[in-house]
Amino acid sequence: MSDVLKALQPRKVFEYFEVISNIPRGSGNERVISDYMVKFATDLGLEVKQDEAYNIYIKKPATPGYENAPTVILQGHLDMVCEKNKETVHDFEKDGLELYIEGDWIGAKGTTLGADNGIAIAYQMAVLADDTLKHPALECLMTTDEERGMSGVAHLHPEYLSGKVLLNLDTDVEGEFLLSCAGGAKAYLTMVLDKEAASHELVYYRLVLNGLKGGHSGADIHFERANAHILMGRMLYALKSKIDFKLAEIIGGSKDNVITRECEVTIAVKKEQVETLKATAYEMVEVFQKEYSAQEEHICLTLEEVAVPKEVLIDDCLNRLIDILVMLPNGVMGYDQHMKGLVQTSLNLGILQMHSDRIELGSAVRSSVASRKVELLAKLEAFSRAFNLKFEVKGDYPAWQYNENSRIRECAGELYMKMYGKEPIMTAIHAGLECGFIAEKLPGLDMISFGPNVKHIHSPQEVASISSMARVYEYLVKLLENLVAY
């Protein structure tokens, strides 16, 4: 096991963060990390339960003097988004992360860091292992499969919990306290493919569009960054207006909650059309660079000749795919008119996967207004009928509604002002948090969400601030200590 973080303080926080970074824990692959948490709690002599979804429930008794304070639930998720740079050799099913430190930032070489939400797990472990802290009775809830649709928390056993206050530790801006979040769902469109034998009289080129920033499809959607799938659709549409071509392959993103950073296609043209292909493709890149000059600095395209594949799409399939990519809604659909700058409704085309017999497209749909989410899903269903696509909705999750009478909001704000001499930001987020599901299963629970500074979540550029991780842990410890008078 590596010990890159061994000199950092508070020692236990960074030690545990490095421990879990060495355990593969992509969404759907949490059995090992879940079993590890059972052993961790058992070794500490604490009560622990593991449910059928591998969610973990750990209880730690109140310290003397806190017996009458309400039980506090600390909550975060065990899984992480597994994204890597194309050239990075890494097996997320088997390999631990290769951590590094650069200035005040922790990152992982060529991959996502998993600070979302490994920091919450490290915080919980540090609190559980430290018998010098003062706190009410604690229940640490570590959920699974949050990133793929919150299926872990959907299987939550409310009878395992008795807490009245919940501190969700799944946010990424220090000093911001979240009081509500959007609901969402995953919409999948499937197109059946018809193919024909590839012609040896054509030349074949791979076009790779990359260099985009990407990011979290909820937390970063308001930046209106470029989506590589949408750009590639526009490029293919422009090419189709000038030359005839065949398409052998398209490779895009695999996660709906990630703004896609790159997309590649393999297309075939006549030899005399190669120069038009190159000129048109690079002209479109220049168009994209101008359009996104404020958001994207490194949009680029590479072309290379490749070997003749076995098959290509028939023209009808190709034309339909291009139309789908050009017409499919994507990005911000509307802003909240009550909270300036907050996205109300959006969707992100994060999945574009070509199989032997079909193409699958998946979008993360989000809205803080339930009826707008329903409306957007209805539009996608109507879109699928128009293009003769199979339509399916998965992972539907509720919004977390704002609580006007939150005592924990008051306690958290007062302490932050006392510790740092400035008002915290009390706000909402367009991304989904598990608080909506938890509120449904534990009615009356008083909740707030906070965390340290983490940048570029859901991308290989993800980094977490060392100093912020330390400050927020200090704040968490003090908040627990102050809840004796909640």
Side-chain angles (χ1 to χ4, degrees):
M1 186 181 75
S2 63
D3 53 4
V4 175
L5 311 183
K6 65 179 181 180
L8 303 180
Q9 296 292 332
R11 184 177 63 84
K12 284 293 183 183
V13 169
F14 291 101
E15 175 187 327
Y16 291 135
F17 184 76
E18 189 149 19
V19 166
I20 64 175
S21 295
N22 278 280
I23 302 174
R25 51 189 177 89
S27 302
N29 185 37
E30 302 102 321
R31 174 66 183 270
V32 174
I33 186 70
S34 179
D35 288 346
Y36 179 88
M37 291 304 163
V38 172
K39 184 178 186 304
F40 170 79
T42 302
D43 289 346
L44 290 175
L46 300 174
E47 179 183 344
V48 58
K49 288 185 172 69
Q50 181 187 58
D51 66 22
E52 69 278 4
Y54 301 119
N55 296 314
I56 295 295
Y57 312 76
I58 304 172
K59 294 190 176 185
K60 184 179 182 182
T63 54
Y66 287 76
E67 295 88 350
N68 295 324
T71 298
V72 175
I73 303 171
L74 302 180
Q75 192 265 322
H77 60 87
L78 290 163
D79 63 315
M80 63 174 280
V81 167
C82 297
E83 285 283 299
K84 65 185 182 74
N85 291 325
K86 190 173 182 180
E87 68 275 8
T88 299
V89 178
H90 185 91
D91 185 345
F92 282 106
E93 295 288 317
K94 301 176 182 178
D95 302 335
L97 304 177
E98 190 175 351
L99 302 184
Y100 69 87
I101 295 174
E102 186 173 303
D104 185 48
W105 300 95
I106 301 169
K109 295 181 180 179
T111 70
T112 37
L113 174 63
D116 174 17
N117 193 218
I119 290 175
I121 304 304
Y123 281 174
Q124 291 178 75
M125 295 171 73
V127 168
L128 291 170
D130 191 344
D131 289 332
T132 69
L133 303 181
K134 298 177 181 179
H135 55 75
L138 299 176
E139 296 174 333
C140 286
L141 172 60
M142 304 175 181
T143 52
T144 57
D145 209 28
E146 189 268 355
E147 299 291 3
R148 293 196 311 181
M150 304 190 189
S151 68
V153 74
H155 289 85
L156 183 74
H157 286 258
E159 69 273 16
Y160 292 171
L161 299 166
S162 61
K164 302 301 181 185
V165 177
L166 183 137
L167 305 180
N168 172 278
L169 304 170
D170 188 12
T171 71
D172 58 356
V173 180
E174 182 183 353
E176 282 192 3
F177 291 78
L178 301 183
L179 312 175
S180 68
C181 73
K186 299 173 183 293
Y188 293 90
L189 307 177
T190 303
M191 172 182 169
V192 176
L193 299 181
D194 287 317
K195 297 181 179 181
E196 61 187 9
S199 171
H200 287 260
E201 295 181 359
L202 302 176
V203 289
Y204 293 78
Y205 278 84
R206 178 181 296 118
L207 284 66
V208 180
L209 185 66
N210 58 17
L212 283 65
K213 288 182 177 179
H216 189 296
S217 67
D220 296 326
I221 200 75
H222 63 287
F223 294 122
E224 302 194 49
R225 294 170 181 164
N227 182 310
H229 298 148
I230 303 302
L231 297 192
M232 183 59 77
R234 292 175 60 188
M235 182 173 289
L236 294 176
Y237 188 85
L239 288 171
K240 200 66 178 175
S241 69
K242 294 188 177 182
I243 58 175
D244 291 323
F245 66 87
K246 301 287 187 179
L247 187 141
E249 186 176 37
I250 182 166
I251 301 174
S254 60
K255 296 177 179 63
D256 63 272
N257 58 1
V258 176
I259 301 171
T260 307
R261 304 185 314 279
E262 61 182 52
C263 185
E264 67 177 68
V265 295
T266 300
I267 64 176
V269 297
K270 296 177 181 178
K271 290 182 180 179
E272 58 267 28
Q273 294 179 322
V274 169
E275 292 307 314
T276 304
L277 162 67
K278 293 180 178 180
T280 304
Y282 283 118
E283 284 173 8
M284 288 305 298
V285 171
E286 291 181 3
V287 169
F288 300 152
Q289 289 170 340
K290 290 177 182 178
E291 289 180 357
Y292 289 93
S293 60
Q295 305 103 305
E296 307 278 2
E297 300 90 8
H298 305 294
I299 298 177
C300 60
L301 176 74
T302 58
L303 292 89
E304 62 173 341
E305 189 171 351
V306 294
V308 179
K310 291 183 178 180
E311 296 179 311
V312 295
L313 299 186
I314 65 170
D315 289 344
D316 177 67
C317 267
L318 171 58
N319 293 334
R320 202 150 55 100
L321 175 61
I322 294 173
D323 288 346
I324 288 168
L325 292 177
V326 169
M327 296 179 66
L328 188 64
N330 182 79
V332 176
M333 296 290 109
Y335 284 87
D336 192 304
Q337 298 303 304
H338 299 287
M339 190 173 292
K340 186 177 180 180
L342 178 67
V343 176
Q344 180 209 74
T345 306
S346 75
L347 77 166
N348 173 68
L349 177 59
I351 298 174
L352 200 171
Q353 295 286 299
M354 184 175 182
H355 304 277
S356 60
D357 61 344
R358 69 195 187 281
I359 287 179
E360 295 179 347
L361 302 101
S363 295
V365 175
R366 304 176 190 268
S367 184
S368 54
V369 178
S371 59
R372 293 301 305 276
K373 181 179 73 173
V374 171
E375 176 197 20
L376 191 48
L377 290 171
K379 286 184 176 181
L380 292 175
E381 186 173 18
F383 181 94
S384 70
R385 286 197 298 269
F387 282 95
N388 194 27
L389 307 174
K390 177 185 175 183
F391 177 74
E392 188 176 11
V393 176
K394 297 181 180 179
D396 200 332
Y397 60 91
W400 166 26
Q401 300 296 324
Y402 176 77
N403 178 8
E404 293 184 3
N405 302 307
S406 172
R407 175 63 182 145
I408 189 60
R409 179 179 72 241
E410 296 175 4
C411 293
E414 290 169 2
L415 177 63
Y416 189 88
M417 183 67 184
K418 181 179 179 181
M419 290 181 67
Y420 303 110
K422 57 183 178 181
E423 293 284 349
I425 298 172
M426 297 290 179
T427 187
I429 191 171
H430 184 60
L433 293 172
E434 293 162 293
C435 297
F437 265 122
I438 296 171
E440 283 191 345
K441 291 176 176 286
L442 295 167
L445 196 61
D446 196 3
M447 298 184 287
I448 197 166
S449 180
F450 61 92
N453 292 327
V454 184
K455 298 195 299 185
H456 312 308
I457 287 173
H458 294 185
S459 81
Q461 289 71 48
E462 180 185 6
V463 288
S465 166
I466 296 168
S467 59
S468 183
M469 286 176 67
R471 284 191 301 270
V472 172
Y473 182 70
E474 177 191 29
Y475 173 83
L476 170 62
V477 168
K478 288 292 184 183
L479 181 58
L480 293 174
E481 184 177 330
N482 274 258
L483 291 182
V484 67
Y486 173 88

